[in-house]
Amino acid sequence: MNGVQSPYRTVLVAAAVLILLLAGCTPSKANVHKDERTLTELTLSALSVAHPDYGFSPAPAQEKTADGLSVILTAYPIGAFMTGDVGTVPVSVTFDQDSRVKRVSPLPETRLGRVLEVLGTSKGSVEVAQDTRELLSNIGRSVEVVAVAEFAEPMTEAAVLRANSGLAQPQRVLLAPGGGQLPLGNGLYCGRTCDKQSYVASFQEWVSTLRPQDQSALKAFGLDLENLKAASQQGKIYGFVYENYDAETLLEISKNPKVRALYVADVTLKCASDSAALCEPVRD
């Protein structure tokens, strides 16, 4: 060939380069699914931690949009809203093509959320404790109560969940004080490998997956990465959230020396039978 490149060979080389470039620019299906799963896990965990007054459906749906991805799930208030009837709330979190949060559906204020804002302020705890005990002593057996136990001192999970602690198993633990805003909370939802019987371990597992580039997404949920890391490293529990407990059990919890105060967030009628067309109260 005397150093002269064949036009046919030139075309082949150019085609091969083009294929390599296209392969590098086009994500595989596996990467796309991984990204969607990561964003979905971020959404569920962030909402759960930022809104301890809500429970969330554990299997969100994903919907691709022209601009990115929407993660859609259902929120269940623990107790009742501040206004309106008890019900579920559809929640949608929209990400753009660069995985930045464009929009998070607002959640209605709840009675439990209002109570959680009081935690960490240390105002009126003695009076609250006395009023709560009087209420629980006279409320009867026909109701179910949503309540928050604020601990006198933050404690490890092992200390507050041991058999002789005198504290019933909660639906959710509080991992930071409120101080005028909702504290960080965590239920038994966890990620891929965590111990599903540990509230703190599941929270720590999630925080360990977060990176500095996640800060902008966390901010959209009202969270801060440094605060999350601090709570994770501390590993302490500040209080419990009890959903639909009987007054007698909560009265005993309110007398526990580990509990600074127990706050009643909501009271509902306890029905004798779930199958009855009308709710008939439990009779003493």
Side-chain angles (χ1 to χ4, degrees):
M1 298 289 293
N2 297 325
V4 179
Q5 192 174 40
S6 165
Y8 178 69
R9 183 181 178 187
T10 300
V11 171
L12 288 177
V13 171
V17 171
L18 180 60
I19 290 172
L20 289 173
L21 289 174
L22 289 175
C25 295
T26 305
S28 67
K29 281 189 175 182
N31 288 334
V32 171
H33 290 317
K34 181 180 179 182
D35 291 343
E36 290 177 5
R37 182 170 65 178
T38 300
L39 294 179
T40 300
E41 290 177 353
L42 173 66
T43 296
L44 185 55
S45 295
L47 285 172
S48 177
V49 169
H51 294 280
D53 53 333
Y54 278 90
F56 297 91
S57 54
Q62 300 88 28
E63 181 178 302
K64 292 182 180 180
T65 66
D67 300 323
L69 178 74
S70 286
V71 179
I72 304 164
L73 66 166
T74 303
Y76 306 87
I78 300 176
F81 300 123
M82 284 297 298
T83 58
D85 297 329
V86 176
T88 60
V89 182
V91 179
S92 175
V93 178
T94 305
F95 295 87
D96 65 14
Q97 297 284 3
D98 296 319
S99 300
R100 294 174 300 195
V101 179
K102 295 177 61 179
R103 182 179 181 276
V104 179
S105 298
L107 289 169
E109 187 179 19
T110 63
R111 294 176 185 174
L112 175 57
R114 181 67 62 87
V115 168
L116 290 171
E117 292 176 357
V118 177
L119 302 188
T121 61
S122 299
K123 295 179 180 178
S125 293
V126 175
E127 292 80 3
V128 168
Q130 293 173 343
D131 291 345
T132 298
R133 289 173 189 172
E134 183 177 352
L135 172 63
L136 294 173
S137 297
N138 297 287
I139 205 169
R141 294 180 55 244
S142 296
V143 296
E144 293 178 322
V145 182
V146 175
V148 180
E150 179 182 12
F151 296 153
E153 297 291 339
M155 293 180 286
T156 63
E157 185 172 22
V160 295
L161 289 179
R162 63 190 181 196
N164 62 348
S165 69
L167 299 169
Q169 182 88 7
Q171 273 71 30
R172 188 165 293 249
V173 302
L174 303 173
L175 302 168
Q181 59 185 357
L182 290 180
L184 305 177
N186 199 43
L188 283 178
Y189 163 78
C190 60
R192 303 173 194 172
T193 60
C194 68
D195 177 1
K196 294 185 179 181
Q197 299 306 310
S198 171
Y199 299 89
V200 173
S202 63
F203 173 75
Q204 291 172 329
E205 186 215 17
W206 175 60
V207 173
S208 71
T209 67
L210 300 174
R211 299 293 178 263
Q213 55 266 34
D214 294 319
Q215 173 57 36
S216 60
L218 293 170
K219 185 177 179 181
F221 295 97
L223 298 172
D224 177 79
L225 181 57
E226 293 306 314
N227 290 343
L228 291 172
K229 287 182 177 179
S232 175
Q233 291 170 0
Q234 186 183 39
K236 295 295 181 67
I237 294 177
Y238 287 75
F240 282 170
V241 175
Y242 293 108
E243 180 182 359
N244 297 335
Y245 270 68
D246 63 277
E248 184 177 357
T249 298
L250 293 174
L251 179 60
E252 291 303 312
I253 291 172
S254 73
K255 299 175 183 178
N256 192 305
K258 299 181 180 69
V259 176
R260 172 183 286 134
L262 190 133
Y263 301 84
V264 173
D266 195 22
V267 176
T268 58
L269 186 64
K270 184 178 180 180
C271 301
S273 173
D274 293 334
S275 60
L278 296 175
C279 179
E280 298 178 358
V282 173
R283 303 297 180 187
D284 292 330

